[in-house]
Amino acid sequence: MLCALIMAGGKGTRFWPLSTEEKPKQFLNLIGDDTMIQMTVNRIKPIIPMERIFVCTGAMYVDLVKEQLPELPERNIIIEPEGRNTTPCIALSALVIDRYFKDSTMIVLPSDHLIKDEEKFRNIIEESEDFLENNEQAIITLGMKPDRPETGYGYIKYNNETSKNDAFNTFKVDKFVEKPNEEKAKEYLENGSYLWNGGMFLWKTSTIIDEIKKYSPLTYEAIHEIESIKEENLQKLIDEKYNKTESISIDYAVLEKSKNIYVVPSEIGWDDIGTWKSVERYKEKDINNNILDGNARVIESNSNIAINKGKRIVMIGIDDVMTLETEDSIYIVNKDYMDNLRDYKNIV
């Protein structure tokens, strides 16, 4: 049985001032009409029903989750008392999911990524689920074939030990590599055996619980009572014990130590929508390369971005500028600065 965990507790500071701590980027419609978290859910709904989709988020975002995902059962909102990195989030969620769907297969998804070939993505998930039925102790991660020397992503190094499946190959993972400098990123691109780490994983809930118990015992010991506690006391236990977990990423805590990890090379049109430049790649542009999202007009202007919902913005004779309207301000920014806006948060 396949279940999904969508991690939606991030604060999206890279998209300030549009993304705020009160409403971070996963709850914004940065690319299309749907918000990022709605896009994530809609992408998997054809193969996973809503009753088996879970969202892990902070207490301050529960109302936003309910508002944007009204079909999601309330028990499927897993509430973190505080953000403590991905290992506690995944441990908590795996224990909760295993309560309701014993020994299910669990796919872990970020809430704010773009996948253009959604049908192929779903096929990979289904084939990976079949693989795990025959290899119950395995962990599968999806790796994206790099098309540029990207320094903003982690990488996965794989070897030629292949397990063939009818629809795709899985490769044993040699190691996970942190974000490289440009020179290293070029080496990885030329090498051909490195993939981008998209932060998407599949495993049996029992497998990941055992791996966390083995490699992050403080986290397991803090919250393992979730397995047996009465439903009415569940959130109270989480609130009391969650701060005793180990604040560490799943990559460091488990994946770099586990011995049975496979990667599926996945050409699915993936992108981590983590910067304004990544948004710019996918927004519709006019003939002069302008992006107009809202009430805006450009005259003799090129390569601008205008995001506003109130009064009309008119750009005349301007190139390479981004304008952003928030509830209380309008920001006019040279595009060279747009991915560093959060650096100015405390001085504007």
Side-chain angles (χ1 to χ4, degrees):
M1 184 178 296
L2 185 60
C3 298
L5 166 65
I6 298 171
M7 297 186 294
K11 296 183 178 180
T13 57
R14 286 179 293 181
F15 283 98
W16 184 86
L18 207 60
S19 171
T20 63
E21 187 171 349
E22 293 75 28
K23 192 173 185 179
K25 69 169 180 173
Q26 60 266 33
F27 302 109
L28 303 177
N29 54 339
L30 293 172
I31 300 295
D33 294 333
D34 290 330
T35 65
M36 300 302 292
I37 194 170
Q38 288 171 334
M39 291 172 67
T40 304
V41 169
N42 291 338
R43 192 177 297 135
I44 58 174
K45 276 173 64 177
I47 58 172
I48 307 176
M50 288 297 288
E51 60 264 26
R52 298 205 306 268
I53 297 175
F54 292 77
V55 174
C56 186
T57 193
M60 69 186 301
Y61 305 134
V62 169
D63 288 343
L64 281 170
V65 172
K66 290 179 178 180
E67 175 189 326
Q68 297 193 5
L69 303 173
E71 300 173 54
L72 188 72
E74 188 164 355
R75 78 170 188 179
N76 290 25
I77 304 175
I78 301 169
I79 304 172
E80 288 184 292
E82 58 182 275
R84 293 186 62 79
N85 219 315
T86 51
T87 296
C89 170
I90 288 170
L92 167 63
S93 301
L95 288 164
V96 170
I97 291 171
D98 202 53
R99 283 175 62 95
Y100 305 130
F101 301 102
K102 196 68 179 174
D103 199 27
S104 56
T105 298
M106 172 181 169
I107 180 168
V108 177
L109 302 169
S111 58
D112 52 6
H113 288 184
L114 175 70
I115 293 174
K116 294 168 72 177
D117 193 340
E118 296 187 350
E119 183 175 358
K120 187 173 182 180
F121 170 67
R122 290 189 289 266
N123 289 339
I124 289 172
I125 292 174
E126 292 180 313
E127 293 292 339
S128 296
E129 182 187 16
D130 290 343
F131 179 87
L132 289 172
E133 290 301 318
N134 299 312
N135 302 270
E136 291 195 357
Q137 302 306 310
I139 289 173
I140 292 180
T141 182
L142 275 58
M144 316 307 157
K145 186 176 180 180
D147 58 9
R148 61 184 185 273
E150 177 62 58
T151 60
Y153 304 153
Y155 285 71
I156 300 166
K157 171 73 166 62
Y158 66 95
N159 63 33
N160 292 324
E161 185 181 338
T162 309
S163 175
K164 290 192 178 294
N165 220 336
D166 290 340
F168 65 91
N169 291 332
T170 60
F171 295 85
K172 283 300 291 284
V173 170
D174 274 345
K175 60 182 178 178
F176 289 81
V177 182
E178 290 302 303
K179 298 173 183 178
N181 59 32
E182 188 167 355
E183 183 180 351
K184 277 290 183 185
K186 289 178 180 177
E187 287 181 21
Y188 297 162
L189 186 63
E190 293 170 2
N191 181 283
S193 60
Y194 288 82
L195 302 166
W196 287 334
N197 182 358
M200 294 180 280
F201 312 103
L202 290 100
W203 42 50
K204 290 285 189 179
T205 51
S206 56
T207 297
I208 194 60
I209 291 168
D210 286 345
E211 293 287 274
I212 290 170
K213 182 178 181 179
K214 181 178 181 180
Y215 295 117
S216 185
L218 290 177
T219 294
Y220 177 79
E221 287 300 322
I223 58 175
H224 73 95
E225 293 175 65
I226 288 172
E227 295 175 298
S228 56
I229 198 167
K230 291 182 179 180
E231 185 77 16
E232 60 266 27
N233 297 324
L234 178 59
Q235 191 60 49
K236 183 173 184 288
L237 170 70
I238 295 168
D239 292 343
E240 290 177 352
K241 298 293 185 69
Y242 198 68
N243 66 352
K244 295 179 174 63
T245 59
E246 187 179 11
S247 182
I248 187 172
S249 75
I250 197 70
D251 300 61
Y252 281 131
V254 174
L255 300 183
E256 292 184 358
K257 301 170 185 175
S258 187
K259 307 302 182 186
N260 201 19
I261 303 183
Y262 294 83
V263 63
V264 180
S266 305
E267 296 188 57
I268 52 177
W270 171 90
D271 206 334
D272 173 9
I273 304 300
T275 64
W276 285 111
K277 282 186 173 65
S278 62
V279 171
E280 188 177 18
R281 282 198 288 271
Y282 299 104
K283 282 281 196 181
E284 183 179 350
K285 302 174 181 65
D286 67 14
I287 59 172
N288 294 313
N289 212 36
N290 296 297
I291 295 171
L292 307 179
D293 185 353
N295 188 8
R297 186 182 179 194
V298 290
I299 302 169
E300 297 179 12
S301 299
N302 301 279
S303 299
N304 299 295
I305 302 173
I307 299 176
N308 70 303
K309 303 300 179 186
K311 288 186 176 180
R312 185 170 64 154
I313 289 177
V314 180
M315 297 182 177
I316 303 174
I318 294 175
D319 298 335
D320 298 311
V321 166
M322 178 171 72
T323 65
L324 282 173
E325 180 188 16
T326 66
E327 289 186 2
D328 57 6
S329 301
I330 294 177
Y331 293 80
I332 303 171
V333 182
N334 184 302
K335 282 170 62 177
D336 289 340
Y337 288 75
M338 67 183 181
D339 282 334
N340 299 312
L341 279 177
R342 62 180 174 178
D343 296 343
Y344 300 91
K345 181 177 179 179
N346 295 325
I347 61 175
V348 298

